[in-house]
Amino acid sequence: MLDESLLDTPEGLAEADRRGLLRGAAEAGARVRTAARHAAEAGIGDLKPDGRPRAVLIAGPGTAATHTADLIGALAGVGSPVVRLAPTGVAPAAGALRWELPGWAGSVDLLLIATPDGTEPSLALLTDQAYRRGCSVVAVAPAGTPLAESVAGAHGLFVPMATAPYDQEEPLAASSSGVFWALLTPLLALLDRIGLIGAPPEELEKVADRLDQVAERCGPAIATYSNPAKTLAAELADALPVVWTEGASAGPAGHRFAAALAELAGRPALVAELPEALAAHSALLAGPLAASADPDDFFRDRVEEAPALHARVVLLRDRPLGGLTAATAARDLALSHDTPISELEPEEGGELEALADLIAVTDFAAVYLALASGA
């Protein structure tokens, strides 16, 4: 059960945050600035690309690499296909994971490697395989790791991951905001340089500023009633989150939110995009998980027994209110089944700023839910 009193106790939150999750979320803007500087120092701004790659391949372990691939795919659109190379293996350990290039990969393709570890032997082998095939290779990983040496040997471009001095003592979770933005930012700078997406240095600075603004609005010292992240965490206390997204940028934010809820707070969540979400989840909202199902049992022991788990819709949108939207139908469907709904929309800004806004607020919400529920 959620300890809502902890949400308004900054000292208690700090004591409960043994994994440095709040710190990672608060420092996301700083990580973006450091990562952008590392990208510039690595020479990304001096590249003279011949054109867009036929396809962009992304490899790396864990949710940070998965979310990086999702976001880049959403931003790239139809410019070039973005393909995540999912690993195989018997365990999620660095030495057990295996990556392979698809048979069609060749000299007109670009391989991106994003890892907060850098000791995975298979990623070094993947780099060698890409070199033999003629693929261009760019990697973001901690400096001084075996992967850095492999990329240099394959004549690829290596960008040191933006880290903090305490990362070695207290490694951040894979879903941490700090890890995510440290891996993503140099790749955004690279893809801007080759003309696949629009992420010039001034846009990355705006992203960092937006992340700082969200950290101010959602920080642990801000009371729940005026803190959108704490409010969302409290609303999800005894709920099954049903995350509906609308807009290209909101999709990756929704998937990241669901993954963070599972990894950090130990909470399941469902994700779907509007308008198809309405058909996919209609039966769910009308079934035993609906808020109107199994009303409060008079005989339930309210001290010993946890309340029943019921669905709550979380609507993430990045479209303007005046545009074509399925949000009205989504609200009508939820309310027709007495299902509560939480809505998040970013403040005005560019596409990257809107995405950063949604990701930052939901990252904070997942952290607060984890801390207040003792996960």
Side-chain angles (χ1 to χ4, degrees):
M1 297 180 64
L2 190 77
D3 181 4
E4 292 194 33
S5 64
L6 184 64
L7 293 177
D8 285 325
T9 310
E11 298 80 6
L13 287 170
E15 184 178 349
D17 189 16
R18 293 180 294 274
R19 292 177 287 177
L21 300 176
L22 280 174
R23 181 173 57 198
E27 294 182 350
R31 296 272 182 153
V32 169
R33 295 186 182 90
T34 303
R37 185 175 70 250
H38 287 183
E41 293 172 350
I44 284 181
D46 300 327
L47 295 177
K48 296 179 173 58
D50 295 328
R52 293 181 177 182
R54 177 182 61 178
V56 177
L57 309 172
I58 301 181
T63 55
T66 301
H67 301 155
T68 296
D70 285 347
L71 191 145
I72 289 176
L75 294 175
V78 297
S80 289
V82 177
V83 180
R84 178 180 179 254
L85 304 182
T88 58
V90 298
L97 295 173
R98 298 289 183 270
W99 286 267
E100 290 287 341
L101 283 179
W104 48 264
S107 59
V108 293
D109 302 311
L110 171 64
L111 172 64
L112 304 179
I113 298 176
T115 172
D117 189 330
T119 64
E120 303 90 345
S122 186
L123 286 180
L125 295 175
L126 183 69
T127 301
D128 295 337
Q129 185 182 11
Y131 176 64
R132 294 193 300 270
R133 297 264 200 101
C135 287
S136 300
V137 179
V138 178
V140 182
T145 56
L147 180 61
E149 300 178 4
S150 298
V151 172
H155 302 286
L157 177 64
F158 179 80
V159 181
M161 176 182 167
T163 58
Y166 50 75
D167 283 355
Q168 300 302 320
E169 300 176 3
E170 302 177 36
L172 294 170
S175 287
S176 165
S177 295
V179 172
F180 173 70
W181 290 107
L183 293 177
L184 175 66
T185 302
L187 300 183
L188 292 178
L190 170 73
L191 296 177
D192 172 77
R193 186 62 182 169
I194 64 179
L196 186 57
I197 65 174
E202 57 270 21
E203 286 299 318
L204 295 180
E205 183 61 31
K206 289 180 180 179
V207 167
D209 291 342
R210 178 64 64 91
L211 291 172
D212 287 344
Q213 292 167 10
V214 173
E216 292 177 1
R217 289 192 290 124
C218 298
I222 306 301
T224 299
Y225 66 85
S226 60
N227 187 321
K230 287 184 179 181
T231 299
L232 180 57
E235 291 172 344
L236 296 178
D238 300 310
L240 171 67
V242 179
V243 183
W244 290 347
T245 67
E246 185 172 53
S249 297
H255 287 285
R256 174 171 171 78
F257 185 36
L261 287 173
E263 181 180 354
L264 303 181
R267 299 295 186 94
L270 301 175
V271 188
E273 297 182 9
L274 293 176
E276 292 182 329
L278 304 181
H281 291 159
S282 178
L284 183 149
L285 297 186
L289 292 174
S292 57
D294 187 23
D296 196 16
D297 184 356
F298 179 80
F299 297 102
R300 179 173 64 84
D301 187 329
R302 286 160 176 76
V303 176
E304 299 296 334
E305 296 182 29
L309 187 68
H310 294 305
R312 184 184 187 97
V313 171
V314 179
L315 180 58
L316 304 182
R317 302 178 63 223
D318 66 352
R319 290 184 178 178
L321 292 175
L324 185 65
T325 176
T328 301
R331 297 185 191 103
D332 290 343
L333 177 62
L335 295 177
S336 68
H337 294 296
D338 296 324
T339 300
I341 184 169
S342 303
E343 298 191 38
L344 285 180
E345 293 184 14
E347 296 182 1
E348 292 186 5
E351 185 177 20
L352 275 175
E353 289 179 87
L355 185 60
D357 196 312
L358 288 175
I359 288 177
V361 174
T362 51
D363 277 356
F364 267 105
V367 170
Y368 286 130
L369 189 59
L371 298 180
S373 59

